[in-house]
Structure formats: C-alpha cells, structure tokens
Amino acid sequence: MKESFVSIQNLNLKHQQKSVLRDLNWTINKGDNYILFGESGSGKTSLAKIIAGLQQADGAIKINFNNNSNLPAEVLFVESWYQFKNLEGVANFYYQQRYTSQQAKDTLTVHAELVSYGKEKGLHFDQVEPILESLNFSSFASSQLIELSSGEHKKLQLVKALWLKPQLLIIDQPYTGLDAASRKNLNILLDKVSAEGVKLILISNDSELPASINRFAEIKNGHLIEVESNEITPSTAEKHFREIPDFLKESPVYSSQQIVKMVDVNISYGEKQVLKNINWEVKAGEKWLLQGHNGSGKSTLLSLVNGDHPQSYANELYLFGNRRGSGESIWDIKQHIGLISPEFHWYFDPNATVWQSIASGFYDTVGLFQQLPYSKSEQVNELVAYFGLTASKDELLSTLPLGKQRLVLLARTIIKNPELLILDEPCQGLDQQQTQHFNQLIDELCSNGMTLIYVGHFESQLPTCLGKRILLEKGEVKVVESLNTKTRHFEEQSNLV
C-alpha cells in the first residue's frame, strides 16, 4: 500500500456565496509529482493556498512531512505574480516608477533580496549561484526589483524556491513570462530538486513539462479528477462572437502615417547598456510581432513607445509624427495608445469594478475618477456586452478569474479606438482555449486598420493578423522580417525566443 504525503478530505470553499470547491478529495502519495490544471476560475490557486496554509476552508488536510529529511519540513507556494515592497516596506507602486527608479533607488537589488532571503532561511549563498546561471539571471544582481520585467520577476521567485528546496513545492504558473530556453532549463532544475526529495505540484496548462511529473489532476465543477494528461476537458458552453460595436468598425483617426520611428536609439543604466543603436519604424495599420529572450530589451523598447521612459528625450525618437520632447506631454502620447502588459496589470487599481476599469481607458488612468458623459457610458456598455461581461460589470476586477480580467483590460485598451494597440504577453496564465479566444478577438478588433505591436513567445499563442516581426537579442535588433507562410515557422527553426 502506498504511503500518502498529502491527504485532503471533503474540502469546501465558497467565494461571495458561490461554491468554488465542493467536497474535494485528493491523496498525494510519496513519489507523486502533479500537474494541477483546469479552466480559469476553477479554484486551482485557491486549493494551492489552502494546502500551503495561506487560505482557510472547511475540510481536513494532513501533510506527512519526513522528519528524517534534510529538506525543510514546509510547503512553499510560489504565486503567479511576485509581490515586492520598497525599502520602507510599502508595496504601493505606480507603473511609470519602474523607469524612473534609477534616480530614486527605492527598492532592493536582486542581490540584496537574495542575501536577505538566504539569511532568513539559513541558506548558503554559494548554492544559489548555479541556479542563477541556469536561468540566465546572474547579470541582474545589481538590478532593483522594480526594474525587472514580469519574466525576470518570475525567475527571481523560482531561484528562491529552488534554493530553499522545501519538502513540498507548489508553483502557480511556473512558465509565466519565460522564454523557450528558460523554460527548458527550469524543467531540468525541477527534475533535479525532485530527485533530491522535493515533491512538486505545478499549476499549469503548458505541454512541455519536467520529466519528473507523473500525475495529472483537473479541477472541474469544484471536484478534483485524476486524468491521463493535462488536456483541458472542453467546456460545453461555446464562446459566441457578438457583432463588434459600430464605433470599433471605423478605422482609427490617424494623426500621422508614421506611428513610431527610432533612429540609433540607445538606453543605458549606468554602465549597463539595455538598448544599442535601435532603428525601427512602424507605419499606420501595420501589425508587428516583438520577440526576444528575457532581458533582451523588449520592455524597455515598449516603454519608449508608451512615452514612459525618461531617456526618450535624449534620443532621436518620433511618436505619431512628432519628435519626442517637442512639447507633448506623456498624456498627449497615451491618447493615441491602448496598452496591456503584465506590469500594468500588477499596478492596476484593485478597487475598480469591471465597468469602471473599462471606462478608465478613456482617460488613461488606473481607475475611474470622473463622471462619464452619456455617449461614452453607452460605449462602455456596448463593450461590456461584446465581451460577455454583463453579469460581472459591478464586480471588482481583482475578484474575477484571470481570463476575465484580461478581457476587461482588452476592452479598456480599445474603448477609445486607439491608433496603436500594444499587447505585451497578453495571454500569460491563460489556458489554450482562452488564448485562442483572446487572439481571435484581436484578429477581429484589428480588422478596422488599427496598428498593433504584440509581444509573444510561441506561434501557437499568436493572432493570425501579424505581418511583421522584430527580434531583439542583448539589446540589439537581430532580425526584422515579414511574416508569411514561410516565416511563420520561425520558432521551430530558432532558439532565439
């Protein structure tokens, strides 16, 4: 008879009077490493937090730690998003602060964060260096936490978890924001700690998994079901595409046929050069794919286009026909742009309702702080209906499943029918069905002539409307090409992304 490591019996959880988990039973035997998956909102993260003792629920949970093991007798839950604080212990940041923080030095560096963590957990620093090298993260030692991209934050979380090696390690969306090479190296590291006795539960819908994963479980209708693979059982409810609102059928009103032009653009932080001699032009109506390794400079490049980066004034940069620094404000620039990024999602107002979140797109704020005129209110209502969010319009954005949150933020980005839509890894954390649905919406919404810059690593997670590609490597432009039937297989031919 197998010896159980985790035993869960009759677990029940309600959220706002709605049952999330119903009489859930789960036995994890010693030697089992699980993938836990399911549709967005099915209760995966809640179950993980309950096992880790971070959330309360009704039912019985017993964890049989090995008292003879050298590994810490604890459960470590790695959240899908990293929460960090400044030097005063406050986590109240704003989006543009990431690019102005060089002057302020208001958060710990990666090195200081690891030193602090090592002291707290009694770890030897020499043991973390191979992990940093494997995840290609050693060069970020002097970077402040607020300067890191979503993929870099994920690496920091993973480094700390793999360094600690708890007896039970639960990782929510381990591959979020990681490029292909980092994903492969992460799987090797996970297999290594598994061989040393760490039990794994990975919450993921990805197909490329560590070899040590030998069990699969899906949460469906509040129950946990053991299955043969992590292919989500198709939902009986089909996604119906409503007719696109009339105001989005019209072509955006372009102020210039030149959306972005960069001439020998360079960005440096001290001695670290992030972008080197970038030359790039985006014309009205073009659909661009932006790619590159973690740390290749993608986020910095986009911050120049968004108007967020203070070093844009020191470069020859043209946005919407005007040279940057010719008198326009950051808000003048943002009037032309709709944006989704993991970092923007982090800093969005958690107290805003779905309706307020969408409406805030008119004013480029992270919450709604003024009364909308009737005509604009009607546009919000049209988008709420178009995205199937009517039943959720008065709920807080932060309480919705991740898939719905992304739809809300997409609605927010297009509410003003912008000239330029910037989607920075918009499908992070979504399952395959949600990703397909999201990108079908992008294809439909961009059919009116909207300009698009889309950041994504994998061909299976891209909209079909993309026509051009720019690839960054170590801050330099490596490739600029047109995407057609021959070049759409670039990912299979190259390890650059």
Side-chain angles (χ1 to χ4, degrees):
M1 184 176 179
K2 290 186 177 180
E3 188 177 358
S4 70
F5 180 65
V6 178
S7 177
I8 301 174
Q9 294 182 328
N10 300 323
L11 194 67
N12 286 274
L13 176 68
K14 286 187 176 182
H15 179 66
Q16 296 181 344
Q17 304 305 314
K18 179 183 177 182
S19 290
V20 179
L21 304 176
R22 305 182 184 93
D23 294 324
L24 184 144
N25 297 289
W26 191 13
T27 299
I28 302 175
N29 293 313
K30 292 186 177 180
D32 288 347
N33 289 316
Y34 270 89
I35 283 291
L36 178 63
F37 66 102
E39 293 185 349
S40 179
S42 59
K44 306 182 297 295
T45 299
S46 294
L47 177 57
K49 287 183 175 181
I50 293 167
I51 296 172
L54 301 174
Q55 185 169 336
Q56 298 297 314
D58 295 326
I61 297 181
K62 184 178 181 182
I63 302 176
N64 298 311
F65 291 112
N66 181 359
N67 296 324
N68 297 319
S69 173
N70 293 324
L71 304 181
E74 63 177 279
V75 180
L76 178 63
F77 173 63
V78 178
E79 298 198 54
S80 58
W81 285 359
Y82 183 66
Q83 300 294 319
F84 61 93
K85 297 180 180 180
N86 65 12
L87 298 178
E88 282 75 42
V90 178
N92 185 24
F93 299 101
Y94 58 90
Y95 178 59
Q96 289 82 9
Q97 192 171 350
R98 177 181 173 195
Y99 306 106
T100 59
S101 60
Q102 279 293 317
Q103 289 74 34
K105 301 295 183 186
D106 48 10
T107 60
L108 289 174
T109 64
V110 170
H111 178 77
E113 173 73 7
L114 290 174
V115 168
S116 175
Y117 186 76
K119 287 182 179 179
E120 177 191 348
K121 298 294 185 180
L123 303 172
H124 297 288
F125 203 84
D126 58 349
Q127 294 175 340
V128 77
E129 292 173 354
I131 304 172
L132 291 169
E133 292 176 8
S134 294
L135 291 177
N136 193 26
F137 201 55
S138 300
S139 61
F140 291 90
S142 61
S143 299
Q144 289 191 67
L145 300 185
I146 198 171
E147 296 166 7
L148 303 180
S149 69
S150 61
E152 291 153 7
H153 270 296
K154 195 69 188 185
K155 286 186 178 182
L156 179 57
Q157 288 178 285
L158 294 167
V159 166
K160 291 161 74 173
L162 293 164
W163 188 17
L164 177 64
K165 291 189 287 191
Q167 289 193 28
L168 178 56
L169 176 57
I170 308 175
I171 309 179
D172 195 352
Q173 305 301 333
Y175 307 104
T176 294
L178 301 188
D179 56 51
S182 296
R183 290 181 176 212
K184 290 178 181 177
N185 288 338
L186 173 59
N187 284 341
I188 293 171
L189 290 169
L190 289 171
D191 284 336
K192 182 179 178 181
V193 297
S194 173
E196 295 175 26
V198 176
K199 308 294 185 298
L200 300 174
I201 300 176
L202 306 183
I203 302 175
S204 176
N205 297 304
D206 289 86
S207 56
E208 295 183 22
L209 303 172
S212 54
I213 293 297
N214 55 10
R215 295 288 186 274
F216 301 88
E218 177 182 9
I219 297 183
K220 195 172 182 66
N221 299 322
H223 301 287
L224 186 135
I225 305 167
E226 297 265 0
V227 292
E228 295 298 321
S229 69
N230 62 329
E231 292 185 7
I232 288 187
T233 307
S235 175
T236 54
E238 296 182 5
K239 290 184 169 34
H240 297 284
F241 284 89
R242 297 165 177 81
E243 186 176 358
I244 200 168
D246 288 339
F247 74 92
L248 288 176
K249 292 179 181 177
E250 302 173 3
S251 176
V253 179
Y254 282 107
S255 53
S256 170
Q257 289 300 301
Q258 183 189 81
I259 303 300
V260 179
K261 185 177 180 181
M262 298 182 182
V263 180
D264 295 328
V265 167
N266 290 275
I267 299 292
S268 297
Y269 300 137
E271 297 182 356
K272 182 178 180 181
Q273 190 164 8
V274 181
L275 294 179
K276 305 174 186 177
N277 301 320
I278 300 295
N279 291 279
W280 186 32
E281 185 172 7
V282 177
K283 297 179 181 179
E286 291 182 339
K287 313 290 190 291
W288 280 87
L289 172 63
L290 169 60
Q291 291 189 310
H293 279 307
N294 298 131
S296 62
K298 301 187 300 298
S299 295
T300 303
L301 187 71
L302 291 180
S303 72
L304 292 169
V305 178
N306 298 339
D308 289 324
H309 206 293
Q311 292 189 41
S312 58
Y313 299 104
N315 283 279
E316 188 174 349
L317 169 65
Y318 302 86
L319 299 177
F320 307 99
N322 298 313
R323 178 156 183 173
R324 191 74 171 97
S326 58
E328 79 292 348
S329 71
I330 185 175
W331 303 111
D332 293 330
I333 294 171
K334 289 184 180 299
Q335 286 178 1
H336 304 276
I337 299 172
L339 166 73
I340 296 178
S341 74
E343 294 82 5
F344 184 80
H345 196 165
W346 287 350
Y347 303 132
F348 201 83
D349 184 2
N351 297 314
T353 66
V354 167
W355 199 95
Q356 291 168 338
S357 299
I358 296 173
S360 71
F362 281 119
Y363 307 106
D364 302 301
T365 55
V366 292
L368 184 63
F369 307 107
Q370 55 187 295
Q371 188 82 20
L372 257 63
Y374 176 78
S375 60
K376 289 186 175 180
S377 294
E378 284 301 293
Q379 285 183 238
V380 176
N381 291 332
E382 286 184 65
L383 276 185
V384 166
Y386 174 68
F387 282 99
L389 296 165
T390 302
S392 306
K393 69 176 184 177
D394 296 322
E395 295 182 31
L396 294 181
L397 176 68
S398 57
T399 64
L400 297 186
L402 181 59
K404 280 193 174 181
Q405 289 189 39
R406 290 293 164 81
L407 289 181
V408 172
L409 292 181
L410 176 59
R412 179 191 179 276
T413 66
I414 62 171
I415 187 69
K416 59 188 177 184
N417 198 11
E419 297 166 58
L420 174 61
L421 187 62
I422 300 176
L423 304 181
D424 185 358
E425 299 199 57
C427 298
Q428 276 192 11
L430 304 188
D431 62 44
Q432 293 179 0
Q433 291 178 324
Q434 291 171 324
T435 297
Q436 183 180 18
H437 176 61
F438 189 97
N439 285 327
Q440 286 174 343
L441 288 173
I442 299 302
D443 284 330
E444 184 172 6
L445 291 167
C446 287
S447 62
N448 67 348
M450 192 180 295
T451 308
L452 174 65
I453 299 175
Y454 191 107
V455 180
H457 288 297
F458 298 94
E459 184 179 1
S460 61
Q461 299 178 359
L462 300 176
T464 60
C465 64
L466 296 169
K468 294 191 173 185
R469 176 193 183 219
I470 179 171
L471 175 67
L472 298 183
E473 184 178 356
K474 297 180 180 178
E476 299 181 274
V477 175
K478 187 72 173 178
V479 174
V480 174
E481 64 183 357
S482 295
L483 294 177
N484 51 41
T485 53
K486 292 183 180 180
T487 59
R488 288 293 287 187
H489 299 289
F490 52 83
E491 290 164 337
E492 299 172 6
Q493 301 168 357
S494 172
N495 290 321
L496 288 173
V497 297

